[in-house]
Amino acid sequence: MRILNNQKFKITVFITSLLVFGFINKQPIQKQQTTENLSLSQINNSPIPGLSNNLLTEKPSTGDIKSNEKSIFYSVINEWQKYQYSINANQVLTAGKLPNTQINLNQGDLLTVLTNTRNYFQKYSTEDPDTQRIGILVTQGVTVKDILKTLDFMMTVLEEDIANNRKTRLQDPNFINANFRVIKWSAHNPENPQQKKLRITKYAAFIHTGSRQKTAKYNTPIYAIKEELNQDKFYTKYTKQDVLSGIYETGGKEFGKVKPIAYLTRSGLEAALMQGTVLVNFTDGTKEFLNVDKNNGMSYIRGVKATSQKRYWYFKEVDAIKGYGYKIDAKISIKPGVTFAGDVLNVGLGRIIVIEDNQKRLKMGVIADTGGAFLPNLYQLDFLAGTFTSEQDFEQYIQKLPDYTNAYILVKK
């Protein structure tokens, strides 16, 4: 998982308008203006399922109808599910078509991530209401049912193709264009309005040497919260700097409330905090995947160097690289090459993404991970590149991947 574990907050504000069809005399829209002709019951009975919960999260701008100038505004929310700003969805999502280029993917790995993501919807939709958010795709008439149908269809195709020992039809752009709605995703970056292509960052699970006991070299702990104190919010009071000052060590004021599950170098800790998952090769010859579990509730601040960030994560031992999940034991097991971390609140969990690489070849993956840097974020995805022993190996590998690219969202017709 990338940095953030979603909190379960219920959105209690509602919308009083849906469609904005232009402007009178090009006058600016007033944010608190309301619509007299559109009642709440009409909105709740909209032909787009989930509209009242997912399109706009506070009273939107409204305008008068002007023919041939249709705009649909969506209200973006942050990681705490608070309103941030409204955008014209037609400038972000448009009907598209995949270029006539074969899609590069690992069939078995894609099937694994699709299946694990689909199972998450099946098991945790009640406990995790964020799975029911459509996000900005609601402006395209997409529903949660459409997302599940997309996952199910792709799983069936892959299972059939793998069973018949053939290259999957999902690699054929003609098959995709015939069976899926292809929605082109143009970036919306409030800090860089000129950005049109999606930014593609990359992440990995790094392999670090560590120790089960503190040593002169491996002296920076990775902590897990003790099971019996899992519901206690004591850890929300302390910054990363507080933790590293020794509050949990012998003589510290919170000694005994957490347990060290590994000791790394300081740079190893920062890598683990940023990437969310680390594979530790212990000096005793054992290995363990560690994944972020709970954070201290402090926001990640863009532009601040890692060592100065106040956000701190507590980890837990896991059996694979883990992605999105409302709690550690529910997190989706993910695979490199077919997984993206993204904004699960405003774009959505389980969305199928196709991007172009530097050679204009296509790659397909699933949004099955998230993080603080993506909430909100309608201009970026993070691609899970793999497991690497060093930053140098990682940097060398990702040279063939683009920094900015055309991106598409697939929805089964």
Side-chain angles (χ1 to χ4, degrees):
M1 177 182 176
R2 293 282 296 152
I3 308 169
L4 176 71
N5 193 16
N6 287 328
Q7 304 296 320
K8 295 167 60 180
F9 288 87
K10 183 177 179 182
I11 302 174
T12 58
V13 288
F14 59 85
I15 64 175
T16 60
S17 175
L18 167 62
L19 300 180
V20 179
F21 293 91
F23 306 90
I24 296 179
N25 301 322
K26 307 299 182 183
Q27 294 298 313
I29 297 173
Q30 298 301 312
K31 186 172 182 180
Q32 296 302 323
Q33 183 181 351
T34 58
T35 301
E36 296 177 359
N37 297 325
L38 193 59
S39 69
L40 181 60
S41 62
Q42 287 173 306
I43 293 169
N44 287 333
N45 292 325
S46 165
I48 304 177
L51 189 59
S52 61
N53 291 327
N54 293 290
L55 183 59
L56 291 162
T57 55
E58 76 168 17
K59 292 183 180 180
S61 306
T62 62
D64 293 322
I65 294 175
K66 188 173 182 179
S67 62
N68 300 321
E69 290 188 1
K70 186 172 102 169
S71 300
I72 303 179
F73 281 83
Y74 170 78
S75 285
V76 176
I77 62 174
N78 64 17
E79 63 181 287
W80 313 117
Q81 303 210 7
K82 302 297 184 182
Y83 170 84
Q84 291 293 99
Y85 52 83
S86 296
I87 59 172
N88 183 354
N90 291 337
Q91 295 176 354
V92 180
L93 303 178
T94 54
K97 189 176 182 180
L98 287 189
N100 191 25
T101 305
Q102 180 176 296
I103 301 169
N104 180 33
L105 58 88
N106 181 299
Q107 298 181 175
D109 287 351
L110 180 60
L111 179 57
T112 295
V113 179
L114 287 169
T115 302
N116 293 343
T117 304
R118 182 64 176 88
N119 287 342
Y120 186 88
F121 277 94
Q122 182 72 26
K123 293 180 181 178
Y124 302 113
S125 59
T126 300
E127 292 91 338
D128 183 4
D130 290 341
T131 60
Q132 303 306 302
R133 283 193 55 82
I134 304 302
I136 195 171
L137 283 173
V138 74
T139 65
Q140 300 291 308
V142 176
T143 67
V144 172
K145 184 178 179 180
D146 293 324
I147 300 304
L148 299 181
K149 182 171 70 172
T150 301
L151 297 173
D152 288 338
F153 178 75
M154 296 185 77
M155 289 162 56
T156 298
V157 170
L158 279 167
E159 287 167 351
E160 291 176 355
D161 293 341
I162 291 173
N164 287 282
N165 198 28
R166 67 191 180 203
K167 183 169 65 176
T168 179
R169 290 160 284 173
L170 297 181
Q171 292 183 262
D172 182 358
N174 294 319
F175 180 84
I176 296 298
N177 287 326
N179 288 276
F180 295 84
R181 291 178 59 191
V182 179
I183 302 171
K184 191 172 188 302
W185 177 1
S186 298
H188 176 84
N189 186 349
E191 298 178 3
N192 181 13
Q194 302 306 312
Q195 180 185 337
K196 299 304 177 186
K197 291 188 174 185
L198 221 64
R199 184 184 179 199
I200 303 296
T201 49
K202 299 89 183 173
Y203 71 113
F206 283 94
I207 301 172
H208 289 276
T209 303
S211 174
R212 294 192 182 276
Q213 288 80 37
K214 189 174 184 178
T215 69
K217 182 176 182 179
Y218 304 112
N219 55 13
T220 307
I222 287 184
Y223 288 119
I225 298 171
K226 290 187 175 180
E227 289 294 331
E228 62 270 23
L229 297 174
N230 228 355
Q231 303 305 313
D232 191 334
K233 298 296 184 181
F234 67 91
Y235 55 88
T236 62
K237 298 185 291 184
Y238 302 113
T239 66
K240 175 170 39 174
Q241 291 73 30
D242 293 331
V243 172
L244 296 181
S245 72
I247 60 170
Y248 296 126
E249 296 297 303
T250 303
K253 64 179 179 179
E254 297 290 0
F255 175 69
K257 290 189 175 180
V258 302
K259 60 179 180 180
I261 54 177
Y263 288 91
L264 304 179
T265 63
R266 177 61 189 271
S267 62
L269 171 70
E270 295 297 345
L273 291 173
M274 180 59 65
Q275 301 301 335
T277 301
V278 61
L279 176 58
V280 181
N281 282 342
F282 288 102
T283 54
D284 63 5
T286 59
K287 297 182 180 181
E288 196 111 57
F289 273 112
L290 306 180
N291 195 87
V292 291
D293 178 14
K294 290 181 170 63
N295 67 56
N296 57 1
M298 299 179 190
S299 297
Y300 176 85
I301 304 173
R302 293 186 186 121
V304 174
K305 64 181 182 179
T307 53
S308 298
Q309 293 284 346
K310 293 184 177 181
R311 170 172 282 191
Y312 181 80
W313 281 96
Y314 298 82
F315 284 70
K316 193 170 184 178
E317 299 96 332
V318 293
D319 58 2
I321 303 175
K322 297 294 183 178
Y324 175 83
Y326 84 100
K327 64 178 183 178
I328 186 67
D329 296 329
K331 291 184 187 298
I332 300 169
S333 294
I334 54 179
K335 295 281 190 179
V338 290
T339 301
F340 293 100
D343 185 341
V344 296
L345 297 182
N346 295 295
V347 179
L349 179 68
R351 282 32 170 185
I352 306 301
I353 306 294
V354 176
I355 64 170
E356 295 178 359
D357 67 13
N358 287 338
Q359 287 75 45
K360 299 298 182 182
R361 294 173 300 197
L362 300 178
K363 286 185 173 293
M364 180 185 290
V366 189
I367 296 181
D369 202 353
T370 192
F374 303 99
L375 299 167
N377 193 323
L378 291 173
Y379 59 86
Q380 179 183 357
L381 287 172
D382 213 6
F383 179 71
L384 178 57
T387 303
F388 299 89
T389 57
S390 69
E391 287 280 354
Q392 183 178 1
D393 290 344
F394 174 62
E395 292 294 335
Q396 183 175 357
Y397 176 82
I398 65 175
Q399 290 303 311
K400 56 186 164 183
L401 300 173
D403 292 326
Y404 294 88
T405 187
N406 293 319
Y408 308 87
I409 303 173
L410 306 185
V411 179
K412 180 69 176 70
K413 289 181 178 178

